[in-house]
Each structure stands twice: as structure tokens, then as C-alpha cells.
Amino acid sequence: MNPAGFSEQVRRAWAIAKKDIRIYYLKGPVLIFGVFMPLFMFLAFLMGGRQLPLSFLISGLVGMTLFFTATAVSPAIFPWEGQAKTLERLASCPVTVEAIVFGDMIASILFGIGITIVTVIIGLAVGLSLIHGITLLVAILLAACCFSAIGMLLAVPPTNVPSNIMMLSSLIKFPLVFISGIFVPLEQMPAWGLVLAVCSPLTYFTDLVRYSFTGTHFFAVWIDIAALAVFTVVFTVGTMYLHKRTMPKRM
Amino acid sequence: MTPVIQASNLTKVFGKSTAVEHVSFEVQKGEIFGFLGPNGAGKTTTTRMLTGVIPPDAGTATILAHDIRTEPVMAKQGFGVVPETSNAYTDLTAWQNLMLMGELYGLPRSRAEQRSSELLTMVGLLERKDQKVQAYSKGMKQRLILAMALIHEPELLFLDEPTSGLDVQSTQMILTLLRDLNRKGTTIFLTTHNMEEANRLCHRVGIIRAGKMVAIDAPEKLKVAIDRVHKIEISFDREVSSDALAGLSDVTGVNRTGDKWQISAENRDAAIHSLVTFSQQNGAAIVTLNTLAPSLDEAFLRLTQEAKP
Ligand SMILES: Nc1ncnc2c1ncn2[C@@H]1O[C@H](COP(=O)(O)OP(=O)(O)OP(=O)(O)O)[C@@H](O)[C@H]1O
Ligand SMILES: [Mg+2]
């Protein structure tokens, strides 16, 4: 066994993910938030009574659900653990910062995927038909990785006050939803809106979900997938690099 | 043989203040090394640099032949840490905490379970292993953290004030465990305020003041170095005159406290012989006779107070 080897570090990251799930995700309020938030969002959409088809709404809903759940808890984990001094414990264990970040990402990926599948099932239950199941699956997997990396990026400022980070991440997360073609179809967006939209990974995921449910899409499927993949790699590498630099400041 | 811990010129600056300044020392295999210093001297900061929690601003630390900056994982794999503030996961049970440690150190599940049972038995927490750490008392938490640090049978153990705030029983238990571990070959680096503890436990101590090392030696040698004048406390069953005592050979000073006399002498042995002869000649029987060894406390106070920066 080489403790510093890649496979061994991945195994240790998995131990961190299990710990996160047990401590931070399998909590009544978190699960209730996870299941009810999309449900209420969905109701709010329906009540809005706008002239948009149900399938468009549900695609947006699925996009939002994955985005919010995958970024819901992870930004606060480092501040929580910094405060509780358990981060110092991890820092003195033979795990790299990358493995710790990766472990936190795995936990949020699993949580995001789990809740999003609940939303998809609700969608199917209200009579939506799934046209491209495999595409949806690939999209959810890829986007979950991408969004969980965003969640960890939001955790980069080395504060040990969880509420600061939560405030900051809301400030960034909500505007992102408005530029991502969830409430307004990309076709109806003004040019400047589209310029903003192409910068948001959520745009590509929503486009893929719409394609899966309705068969229509704004970008080509391969562009959506490639864009998501590039965002995922850039954000993952970026968040690991930044955390490596800021970790000592948390101690 | 390469030392287990080799710190050279470790320096850490926080803002404008230098918490640790060019600290260098070595700890050999099998040693219990005590790291002493007053509050704020930089003990925790040094320990955190040695254990790879914070990077030093200058200097290097080589732990178990691995540089803590360039090969942190390899170095960390070989040691266990009991940090200053208790930090088990309070939302997990003792057992879950130990299993997590087992996985973080790459132990196979069965080995981790076996070790955890042994360790929990050793620290007396086996019956409460399935209780969340939240419900633990301070002493129980500290014992659990010691068990967590030992899960992978480390060659080297760092402890930052492991007994501060614990009662006599928990303290004794931890000290006994440390001594047993050391007898089986574990090298121990221990930070403490408690001179008595350092005196009884450590083979060598290093004293740090305001971020600088001021002395490194065996406790006995430090004591002797600090106090060349010995004190003897004696009392007789009848009045004797202080002039008569002061006139004895090898007695350099006489001081009365209550019914006892404090005698200063450079040669303790010779002074005691004179006192015994004095007692025989004057028919004044000796009631008590104590030699007052300089304590490590005194040595410590001297070293950390003299030449205030
Ligand atoms: N994270 C930090 N940021 C700023 N200053 C710090 C930090 N950690 C320690 N210091 C400063 O460094 C100095 C040394 O602190 P350190 O905690 O190492 O002392 P110590 O010897 O462990 O004291 P104690 O016996 O109270 O535990 C102190 O002046 C402290 O204020
Ligand atoms: Mg300290």
C-alpha cells in the first residue's frame, strides 16, 4: 500500500464522503428540504399560470433541483469543521487536501442525484414522458459533478463562520438561476441574455433535460455535454488548487 | 541513525508577531520528549507545524525521515496526533469515529475493528462505544481522542496538553498508557504546562519562551544546572542557636521557618555530616531532616523569566 498513491487517496476520500453523508446529509431537516424544495418550486411554477408548457417547466425544475441540492450543504462543511476543530484532525491525517475536497464533492454529488431522481419521478408521475433516458442519466451524472465542484468553489473563502458562506453562496446561486434559461426559454432571450447564459453551466444542463423530455434543444447535445464536461474539469481542478492554498488559513 | 523528529529553524509569523522563531531540536527514537513553555510561548504553533497542519514560514521539519512539506502523506501515515482542543466528530459515536480514523489511515476493516475494540478497552470506553461523542465528558473525549490517535499503531505520537483540565484519575490513566506505549517503542512528543508530569514522564525536555528555545536537557540536569545551592530542612527536639548552626563547616546560610531550619549548602553531603555531628555533640536530637531538591518548576520559572525580551 502506498498511502500517497492515487487509489489509496480515492479510498480515503470515500471515507470522508461517508462521514459527510452521515453527519451533514442524513439529517431530518436537510432531507426534508431536499425533497420538499423541488415540490414547492413546482407548485409555484404551476400557480404562476404562465403560458409555458408543463414539459418546459419540469425541465427547469429538474435543473434547479440538481443545482440547489448539489450546492446546498457543501459550502458550509469546511466552516463547520473549522469551527468544531475536526478540520484540524483531517489536516493531520494522511489525506491530501484534494482528497478531502473530493470526498466532500462525492457526498454532494450523491445527495444531488438522489433528490433529483425524486423530482424526475414526480415529473413522470404527473404524466410527462421521458424521450431520451440515457441522455438524462448522463446529464444528471455530469452536472452533479459540475455543481458539486461549484459548491466547493463557494467554500473557498477561508471563513469559519458558516452563515457568511451561506449568504455569499445565495448571492451567487440565485442570479445564476435567472440567466440559465429556466424561467425564460433561451429562444426568447435577448442577445445580452444569451451571452450571460452561455457562461452558466446550468444552461447546458437545463437544455439537456429539456431535450430528454421534449426532444427540443437550443444547443446541440454534444455541445451541451462538452460544455458541462469542460466546466466540471475546470471547476474541480480550480477548487482543489484554491483549497490547497487557503486550507492553512482555516486552522 | 536519523532522528524521529528533526526540526530546524522552524519559524512562524502571525501578522506582526513572531509566534515561533528559529526553533531547532531533535527527538530520537524511543524518547519521551517534553515541550514546555508558558501560555502563548508557541508550543501549539510548533506542534502544528511539525504535524503538517500549518506550514512554517521558514525552516524545515523532517518527521520519520519524510519532509512534512514535500511528503506530508508519508510523514503523517507514521504518526498519531492528540491536538490541543478535542476534535472527535460529536455527531458520530466513538465506534464510528474510530472506524473513520481506520479508513483515513488505510487500515483494512477487520484490523480497524480489532484495534478499536482493544483501544476502547484500554481507555475504558468499550461499554459506551455506541453512544454519540456529544454525550461524553471531557475526560472521556480526551481518552477517545487518544484511542483515535493510536488506531494505526503509530511509531510516533504527538500530544498537545493531553491532560489539561482532567481529573487525577483520567490523568493517571493517560500517563500510564503513555509510559506503556513508550516501553513498547513508541516515541512521544508531549506538550505540557505541568512540570510534575514532565519530570516524571520525560527523558528530555525542551523549554520554549516567547517563541525561542531556551534550554533542552534531561529534567534532572536542568534542575541541577539551575540551582547549584542545595537546601536542607532540619528540626531538633530543643532550641539551638542560629549562630551555632551558621558556624558549622560547609553550611553557607541559615534561615528559620517556624520550628524548622533551612540550611543552604553547596556540598549537601558534607553539610548533612556536619549537622549530624552537631546534633550528637549538643545532645539535640534530630526530629526531621529533608533535602529540598530544586523542582523543575523552579528551573522552569528561572529559564522562562530571566532576561525577559
Ligand atoms: N492562528 C493564529 N493567528 C494569530 N496568532 C496566533 C495564531 N495561533 C497562535 N497565535 C499566536 O502565537 C503565539 C503562540 O501561540 P501558541 O498557541 O503556540 O502558544 P502555546 O504555547 O500553545 O500556549 P498555551 O500554553 O496557551 O497553549 C501566541 O501569541 C498566539 O497569540
Ligand atoms: Mg497550546
Side-chain angles (χ1 to χ4, degrees), chain A residues 251, chain B residues 14 19 37-46 48 84 160-161 193:
Chain A
M251 300 299 164
Chain B
F14 291 114
N39 288 130
K43 303 182 295 296
T44 300
T45 307
T46 307
R48 287 169 137 200
E84 185 170 39
D160 197 349
E161 292 182 42
H193 286 133

Side-chain angles (χ1 to χ4, degrees), chain A residues 1 3-4 8-9 12 15-16 18-19 22-23 27 81 85-86 88-94 96 248 251, chain B residues 48 52-55 73-74 76-77 81 83 85 87-89 91-92 96 100-101 103-106 145 148:
Chain A
M1 175 189 81
E8 191 56 37
Q9 286 298 313
R12 293 176 192 191
I16 288 171
K18 280 194 292 186
K19 172 267 297 175
R22 206 173 245 150
I23 298 179
K27 285 271 154 72
E81 296 214 357
K85 300 285 174 202
T86 48
E88 182 169 345
R89 151 78 55 206
L90 293 181
S92 66
C93 282
T96 57
M251 300 299 164
Chain B
R48 287 169 137 200
V53 172
I54 52 174
V73 173
M74 294 310 287
K76 288 170 183 177
Q77 184 71 31
V81 187
T85 37
N87 63 6
Y89 284 96
D91 286 336
L92 298 180
Q96 289 168 337
L100 173 62
M101 283 304 120
E103 287 181 88
L104 291 179
Y105 284 96
I145 285 163
M148 285 163 70

